[in-house]
Each structure stands twice: as structure tokens, then as C-alpha cells.
Amino acid sequence: MDKTTYFSPNKTLRLGDKLLDLSTPAIMGILNVTPDSFFDGGNYSKIDAALKQTETMLKAGAAIIDIGGMSTKPGAEIISPEEELQRVLPVLDALKKVFGDIALSIDTVHSLVAKQAIEHGAVMINDVSAGKIDENIIQIAAEYQVPYVLMHMLGNPATMQQSPEYDNVVEEVFDFFKEKTEELRKTGVNQCIIDPGFGFGKTVKHNYLLAQNLDVFHKIGLPIMVGISRKSVICKVLHVNPENALNGTTALHALLLLKGANILRVHDVAEAREVIQIVGEFNAASD
């Protein structure tokens, strides 16, 4: 198995009228407009707070803002599309009005939410369920020709951390991506990003095996997004709560970048930008 550390070859994503160059890793800033997300639930559900946080993330270097109206933390229940739309559409409209051509992603498992979010200005779908909860979401990505984040999850948010088991987690996640990306191409999804789904139906050991072997997933030939920000993959090792997991997040981000991560999905944009700069300089020293 090739253990070379690298940034992946030049790739671009079309986000509406913009092209995002991934030859240097990009940052997706998390904007949860939920009352119950594991780290920042309730902080940005009001429009003024969402606008302020978005401005902070954009100034710090976020290329994409990912808006989520439903918590997917372990044990979370799936809410209705209607409730989710009540949370996300006013924020989407406000962000487009204030920030213009901002690149917005909609974090949802519902096709109705994805469709309406795109019609209100979103240019990307981030689906933690890979279409298992609502298979029509794949059709929406194909119809509107927006990038689609395909994430691996064992089970669903309500059950995913109840004794997850694999014979070989790296091989099984790799085979999942190989099969699903072929299906997406046949459906007409022309831009896809893969996400190993850290913390979604994995033990701590599973998560670190995936991290250690992240470079293997470049064989799929698609950009890789990672979402480990302040998660239990860090908290359980360091015996800290999410509020005290920033340093651990930065350390793991560095390791994932060395393994070829293309997009970091984060709560803390400025710190993510700094680790990208440091790892970039580290890699460039050997050129």
C-alpha cells in the first residue's frame, strides 16, 4: 500500500458560477441552524447570528458554507423536510442577500430540502445518508448539476453508534464508494466528493484506521472531504468535551492533509486555514 504523503493532483469543482481549485485544500465552514447539534446547537438559529458567523468564516478563508437544519449527531432522529425548510430557507435567503455569490452547500438527507435550497441559492448537496433515506436526492443533484457529497454511514444517526462492526473497515468503505460512485455517474451526477464519514457508524479504532489509510481513497479518483471537527474521534482519545477539542482537531487535520484530504469541513475556519498553510509549507520543502 502506497504510504506517500501528498496533496492530491489539481481538481476543480464548479459551484454555481465559480470554479473552486482543490490543488490546495479548501475549507467548508459549518453553519448549523439547529437547536441540538452536538457542538454549537442553537448558536446560529437566529438570522443575525448566522450572518455574523458566516462573515467571520468567509473572512477567515472558508470557500464553502455548509448550512444544516437537522442534527445528525449519534442518537438524533430524522426530522420532517417541512421543519427543516422552516429553519434553513430564511437563512439561505438572508445569506444570498448579504453576501451575493457566496458558495452555499445544503446539508440534508431530504430531496425536497435539497431542491428548495438550490432554488434559493445553494450550489452543493452534502448528504450524510448517501441517498439511503431519500433516494430522490440523487436525482436532484443530477437534475440541477450541483456537486454531491457522498458520505459513508453505517445505519442511520439514531442507531449508527450501537456497536458498529466491520471485517475490514477500509476495504468496506472503499468498496462502498466504488459501487456508489458508479451508480451516481449512471444517474447523471457529474461532480462528486467522497467523505469517509468519521464518527458515523465507526468506533474510535475504525476512525483512525480510515484516517491512516485516507490516501487509499484517491484511487476512486474524486476529491475527499473530511469532517472530524471537535468530534468524539478526538474527544474520546483526549478525554475532553467538544468545547476543548480544538487542539486535537488541528492535530488530526494535519495528519489527514498529509494523507491527501481535499476539503476540511470545520467549525473553526481560521485554525483550519493555518494548518493547511503549515502542511503546505511542509510538503513544499521536499520539492
Side-chain angles (χ1 to χ4, degrees):
M1 189 178 293
D2 182 9
K3 294 294 183 180
T4 305
T5 57
Y6 53 89
F7 283 160
S8 71
N10 182 32
K11 296 184 177 75
T12 58
L13 280 180
R14 177 164 290 283
L15 299 166
D17 295 330
K18 293 182 175 182
L19 281 177
L20 178 61
D21 182 3
L22 295 177
S23 56
T24 297
I27 299 169
M28 173 185 277
I30 299 168
L31 185 66
N32 288 321
V33 292
T34 59
D36 55 349
S37 290
F38 80 94
F39 171 60
D40 55 4
N43 288 358
Y44 309 117
S45 53
K46 295 187 182 303
I47 288 177
D48 285 349
L51 287 170
K52 184 176 180 181
Q53 175 66 358
T54 299
E55 182 179 23
T56 298
M57 291 193 289
L58 292 173
K59 286 182 176 178
I64 305 165
I65 303 297
D66 191 38
I67 302 174
M70 180 184 76
S71 174
T72 53
K73 66 184 179 182
E77 297 292 337
I78 304 299
I79 66 172
S80 71
E82 291 75 19
E83 184 176 359
E84 196 175 342
L85 285 167
Q86 288 176 0
R87 296 175 180 177
V88 300
L89 289 187
V91 175
L92 271 165
D93 289 341
L95 293 179
K96 290 299 292 183
K97 181 178 180 181
V98 173
F99 299 108
D101 62 350
I102 181 176
L104 296 172
S105 166
I106 181 66
D107 179 3
T108 187
V109 300
H110 295 301
S111 61
L112 178 63
V113 175
K115 176 182 172 64
Q116 292 201 25
I118 292 167
E119 291 174 352
H120 284 251
V123 293
M124 184 175 186
I125 298 171
N126 181 17
D127 174 17
V128 301
S129 77
K132 288 189 294 185
I133 292 173
D134 181 351
E135 62 184 15
N136 292 327
I137 198 168
I138 308 294
Q139 299 293 338
I140 297 300
E143 178 184 346
Y144 286 89
Q145 285 297 291
V146 296
Y148 177 80
V149 179
L150 173 70
M151 198 195 80
H152 178 273
M153 173 172 57
L154 191 66
N156 58 58
T159 63
M160 63 188 180
Q161 289 304 106
Q162 296 174 6
S163 302
E165 293 183 6
Y166 302 84
D167 291 328
N168 184 312
V169 67
V170 176
E171 288 184 4
E172 290 176 47
V173 175
F174 184 91
D175 289 344
F176 164 83
F177 284 137
K178 189 174 180 182
E179 178 182 342
K180 290 296 293 185
T181 53
E182 283 300 315
E183 291 177 12
L184 289 173
R185 288 188 185 100
K186 291 176 182 176
T187 306
V189 177
N190 294 320
Q191 296 189 87
C192 183
I193 301 99
I194 58 175
D195 179 346
F198 291 101
F200 284 81
K202 284 101 178 170
T203 63
V204 169
K205 183 176 181 180
H206 292 147
N207 285 314
Y208 282 95
L209 281 169
L210 287 168
Q212 192 177 64
N213 293 279
L214 192 73
D215 49 345
V216 170
F217 295 99
H218 277 293
K219 295 177 183 177
I220 301 292
L222 296 169
I224 299 171
M225 185 171 88
V226 296
I228 56 92
S229 181
R230 298 180 180 266
K231 284 186 176 179
S232 64
V233 61
I234 295 150
C235 296
K236 288 182 178 179
V237 172
L238 300 180
H239 305 291
V240 298
N241 58 26
E243 288 72 22
N244 294 312
L246 178 55
N247 190 52
T249 295
T250 298
L252 189 50
H253 275 157
L255 297 172
L256 291 167
L257 289 166
L258 288 169
K259 288 292 183 177
N262 301 107
I263 302 173
L264 303 181
R265 183 179 182 273
V266 308
H267 299 93
D268 309 282
V269 175
E271 291 81 357
R273 186 194 72 244
E274 288 180 354
V275 78
I276 288 170
Q277 290 173 313
I278 293 294
V279 173
E281 195 69 22
F282 179 88
N283 281 340
S286 61
D287 291 346

